Amino acid sequence: MGKKDKLVEAITAMDQDFTQWYTDVVLKAELIDYSAVKGCMILRPYGYGIWENIQKNLDAMFKQTGHENVAMPMFIPEGLLQKEKDHVEGFAPEVAWVTHGGSEKLAERLCIRPTSETLFCDHYARIIHSWRDLPKLYNQWVSVVRWEKTTRPFLRSTEFYWQEGHTAHATADEAVEETMRMLDVYADFYRNVLAIPVIKGKKTEKEKFAGAVSTFTVEAMMHDGKALQSATSHYFGDGFAKAFGIQYSDKNNQLQHVHQTSWGLSTRSIGAIIMVHGDDSGLILPPRIAPTQVVVIPIAAHKPGVLDKATAITEDLAKSFRTRIDTSDKQPGWKFSEHEMKGVPLRLEIGPRDIDANQCVVVRRDTGEKTTLSLDQLDESIAGLLDQIHDNMLAKAEKSLNSRIYETSDWDTFKSLIADKPGFVKAMWCGDPDCELKIKEETTATSRCIVSEHETEDRICVVCGRAAAKDVLWGKAY
RNA sequence: CGAGGUGUAGCGCAGUUGGCUAGCGCGCCUGCUUUGGGAGCAGGAUGUCGGGGGUUCGAGUCCCUUCACCUCGACCA
């Protein structure tokens, strides 16, 4: 047993048991703790720190696209929830109800928001009167509650944090444009901030959001080849507007219904970060959202000058990067492993030998590569390395995604691909829900999204062999 | 909600056909020595054996029940 083995024994190896690896990482990297309520997790400082950085980056993108933040109540009266038929049918089975206020039974029970369409619609009906009031581009950062049967940290919990954008527009075209704009924002965010490549597409009727005209999604591929629906953007048409009476007078003094969208990204994105980038030593965090980008580890800290120098470097770097120094009395080796497990992108070692040579040792989490850097112009070196890490993580994830998308038009090949090859299968679909259902029943794979739609004579449905226009990505999903 | 699994110290576990004061490793605390890949020595603290009920002279151990967590299905971000 070498020391490396001991390190690995803390976390289950990915290829031995991926779900156990995931649970180990989530707990040992101190992202969450379980709570007293089933299915509810506590976001610990390190886990919440990731979420804060996700919020910071994504919120800036929302602001750039003209959106404003608001805060809606967490309670929805039953009558309000029931206004839109498809919506209530979709969510009713998994809502939590408040029936009492103090010891008084409520005349009308209140559900704890599973999503806030109804609240926004109710509000919009009151504040939108004129074409001059449009568009309304609102977003909120809140938690919602869905009474899930099976829960897993970040991937599916009873309460989870997310943002939900809700917009109202004068025309259908504008609303469609908004739907696609926000889908692009999510795809860009995943790529440029989380270093995760995603596939954009449209959900099938079966998979779309309750109450939506159409749902668009970004799908990511996890290390085990399974799909994770990573964010969604919905076009509502005027269905909610009609149910809630959201009308405005247009420029010709005609009463019109608004056209709406909603879009959301949740703490599930943290699950994606873990399962796309992680390795057997633990987390590997994308530099742009890592709570700590650089951890400084003084070596032989008791020796004169070491701690002072390490502290000075930390303070200097902290002006430009999220930098922390580890002054605990643990052994250096212990610290190395600890910060690797927590996915800190860069580790900076500084000891007596370095100080004499005016240098430090910097180690990349993504490659393990160790380099010696001059203490002069350290800022530029670190900035360059963090960008390189991002680019490398993205490139690696992209390669992993692209190398595991298979394509076939043959039903038997399709079945064996789903069964034997982790990843996605691209196959044509005629659009018949029965064919979609057959795929799910016989392979457990579901349609992830329709990536494109175009009529071509020679293309046939992978299931029934009839003419097919939809290019669909299929896969097993979380 | 269906199938299966696990609950003993902070974590990982052992605990024999039911039997005396419930153990081990790691971690934790104190002190000293150490420090470039999970340190060493010495001393110390920590338990409602998940909860409730039952059988028994006696239950961590057997029975019933309940709760939580994990895995696989059905549903979702």
Side-chain angles (χ1 to χ4, degrees), chain A residues 3 24 64 73 83 100 103 124 126 134-135 201 231-232 243 272 277 323 383 392 395 410 415 430 437 470 475:
Chain A
K3 293 197 167 166
D24 286 352
Q64 273 166 21
K83 280 200 172 181
H100 288 74
S103 55
Y124 283 156
R126 285 194 299 275
L134 296 171
T232 48
H277 297 306
T323 311
N392 177 54
D410 176 67
K415 281 194 288 189
C430 62
L437 196 63
K470 298 177 202 311

Side-chain angles (χ1 to χ4, degrees), chain A residues 387-425:
Chain A
D387 282 341
Q388 280 176 40
I389 291 173
H390 176 93
D391 294 345
N392 177 54
M393 288 173 70
L394 177 61
K396 200 176 158 195
E398 201 147 42
K399 198 172 160 193
S400 159
L401 170 68
N402 293 333
S403 66
R404 294 189 292 173
I405 298 177
Y406 307 94
E407 198 163 353
T408 186
S409 56
D410 176 67
W411 178 229
D412 288 330
T413 309
F414 182 91
K415 281 194 288 189
S416 66
L417 279 171
I418 293 287
D420 304 331
K421 298 276 189 187
F424 301 161
V425 179

Side-chain angles (χ1 to χ4, degrees), chain A residues 221-253:
Chain A
M221 190 191 290
M222 303 299 104
H223 178 264
D224 62 352
K226 285 169 83 171
L228 190 72
Q229 180 176 306
S230 301
T232 48
S233 186
H234 315 290
Y235 169 60
F236 286 156
D238 59 4
F240 278 92
K242 283 178 173 161
F244 285 82
I246 313 172
Q247 289 179 297
Y248 69 97
S249 301
D250 69 13
K251 289 177 183 176
N252 302 315
N253 199 27

Side-chain angles (χ1 to χ4, degrees), chain A residues 183-197:
Chain A
L183 187 70
D184 286 343
V185 163
Y186 287 140
D188 290 347
F189 171 77
Y190 267 96
R191 188 177 184 84
N192 299 329
V193 180
L194 305 187
I196 295 173

Side-chain angles (χ1 to χ4, degrees), chain A residues 155 174 197 232 293 295 347 354 356 380 419 471:
Chain A
L155 303 175
E174 280 180 46
T232 48
Q293 295 172 303
V295 62
R347 175 175 84 235
D354 300 308
D356 291 344
E380 291 102 289
D471 248 319

Side-chain angles (χ1 to χ4, degrees), chain A residues 122-309:
Chain A
D122 187 48
H123 179 54
Y124 283 156
R126 285 194 299 275
I127 64 165
I128 294 172
H129 307 103
S130 153
W131 64 272
R132 294 177 213 274
D133 297 327
L134 296 171
K136 280 279 177 273
L137 305 174
Y138 286 177
N139 174 66
Q140 68 172 356
W141 292 93
V142 291
S143 71
V144 291
V145 168
R146 298 181 187 176
W147 219 257
E148 300 287 351
K149 308 284 171 53
T150 306
T151 58
R152 293 194 60 199
F154 295 119
L155 303 175
R156 188 186 303 112
S157 50
T158 302
E159 180 182 16
F160 61 90
Y161 293 85
W162 75 346
Q163 57 70 218
E164 45 178 326
H166 295 267
T167 67
H169 306 262
T171 66
D173 284 351
E174 280 180 46
V176 168
E177 196 185 315
E178 168 79 358
T179 306
M180 302 318 290
R181 178 184 303 121
M182 298 323 286
L183 187 70
D184 286 343
V185 163
Y186 287 140
D188 290 347
F189 171 77
Y190 267 96
R191 188 177 184 84
N192 299 329
V193 180
L194 305 187
I196 295 173
V198 292
I199 295 170
K200 292 188 280 190
K202 187 180 176 181
K203 285 291 185 186
T204 63
E205 285 299 300
K206 181 178 175 300
E207 301 282 332
K208 79 177 185 187
F209 180 81
V213 170
S214 49
T215 290
F216 296 84
T217 177
V218 291
E219 300 282 327
M221 190 191 290
M222 303 299 104
H223 178 264
D224 62 352
K226 285 169 83 171
L228 190 72
Q229 180 176 306
S230 301
T232 48
S233 186
H234 315 290
Y235 169 60
F236 286 156
D238 59 4
F240 278 92
K242 283 178 173 161
F244 285 82
I246 313 172
Q247 289 179 297
Y248 69 97
S249 301
D250 69 13
K251 289 177 183 176
N252 302 315
N253 199 27
Q254 299 292 306
L255 214 48
Q256 304 283 356
H257 285 103
V258 300
H259 292 75
Q260 291 171 273
T261 79
S262 86
W263 24 274
L265 177 146
S266 74
T267 39
R268 177 179 271 188
S269 55
I270 298 174
I273 294 169
I274 299 166
M275 291 193 290
V276 168
H277 297 306
D279 68 11
D280 279 343
S281 297
L283 276 179
I284 301 178
L285 292 179
R288 288 165 198 169
I289 55 89
T292 301
Q293 295 172 303
V294 185
V295 62
V296 175
I297 301 190
I299 304 294
H302 63 288
K303 292 200 174 150
V306 173
L307 201 53
D308 287 345
K309 189 69 183 172

